Every structure is written in structure tokens, then in C-alpha cells.
Amino acid sequence: MITAISLVVCFIIALVMTPIIKKFAIKIGATDQPNDRKVHQKVMARIGGLAIFIAFIAGIFIPQAHTHEFFYPILIGAFIITLTGFLDDLFELSAKWKLLGQIAAASAVVIAAFMLNSLTCLLICNGSSVGSAFRLQCFGLLG
């Protein structure tokens, strides 16, 4: 039941925040202009991910998820991804900068997970496989 409530709250907040973020995007010039390569025929706001992130932040506190040990690492990773997307929408970042943002977000989650489970990792992994495990987990998060 609490999951359904969280879902509804996230939906309502995203619904309310989207027009506000759209006005903000137009005000700061974070818009996409139509051209012959684009499908849209009028100016479109580009920072819609911000409304989704705000809804996510609001909804995640309802089921007491912030008490879970991996809450903050995931929150930091989500913030880095949102910041990367926001900067990309403002400045049209190159692919290498977007990839760097994705790597930073994945690394934040993986490093925090290693720190939280460092005793388990030290007991299971030998020194040489820790780096391999880190790279493998980052690759998995990057998709």
C-alpha cells in the first residue's frame, strides 16, 4: 500500500512541477529550437528531468527508504546524473562529458557500496580482484 501511495505522490508532484520547470527552462533559455532534423514544430523545454528528480526525491521519503543503508549512495548517484542532464540541457555537453558524469554517478554508488560492505569485501575478495569488481560494477551500472 505504501508503494502505491509513493507512486501516486510522485505522479502528482511530477504533474505539478512539469509546467513550473517548463516556465523556468524558457526563462533561462534551456530550450530546443525546431529545425529540419527535429520532429517538434515549436520551442521545447529541455530540463524536464528536473521535475522527475524532484518528484523522485519527494516520493522516496514516504516509505522510509532513507533508513536503508544504500539510500544515500543511490541519492548521490541520482543527483550526479540529474546534474549531468541539466548541464547537458543548458550547454549541450559532448559525449565524453556525459559519459564522465555517468561514470561519476556509477562510481559514487559503487564506492559507497564498497565502503558499506568493506568488511565483507575484505573477507571475500583478495586485493587484486577488488579493482576488477569495482570496474565490473561500474560497467553494470552504466549499462
Side-chain angles (χ1 to χ4, degrees):
M1 182 64 176
I2 200 80
T3 304
I5 293 170
S6 295
L7 182 65
V8 170
V9 167
C10 288
F11 176 74
I12 291 170
I13 291 173
L15 204 61
V16 169
M17 289 304 298
T18 299
I20 295 168
I21 297 295
K22 181 179 178 182
K23 288 178 187 174
F24 177 65
I26 292 168
K27 183 177 180 179
I28 66 171
T31 57
D32 192 26
Q33 304 298 325
N35 64 30
D36 51 335
R37 293 187 63 194
K38 307 284 174 81
V39 175
H40 55 85
Q41 301 298 316
K42 58 182 181 172
V43 174
M44 300 294 288
R46 296 183 77 187
I47 56 174
L50 194 56
I52 295 168
F53 182 71
I54 292 168
F56 165 74
I57 294 300
I60 202 161
F61 283 98
I62 293 170
Q64 301 293 322
H66 61 281
T67 60
H68 192 277
E69 63 182 339
F70 292 114
F71 172 76
Y72 292 105
I74 291 172
L75 186 64
I76 291 167
F79 175 77
I80 293 170
I81 286 292
T82 303
L83 180 63
T84 301
F86 182 78
L87 293 174
D88 180 42
D89 289 343
L90 286 179
F91 304 113
E92 297 187 24
L93 301 177
S94 68
K96 70 178 179 181
W97 286 107
K98 289 187 258 189
L99 180 61
L100 184 65
Q102 293 172 356
I103 290 170
S107 296
V109 173
V110 172
I111 288 169
F114 270 124
M115 289 172 50
L116 289 170
N117 293 318
S118 60
L119 180 59
T120 304
C121 186
L122 288 174
L123 293 174
I124 295 173
C125 303
N126 62 27
S128 64
S129 64
V130 172
S132 298
F134 176 79
R135 286 189 294 275
L136 184 62
Q137 287 185 348
C138 281
F139 181 74
L141 283 172
L142 289 172

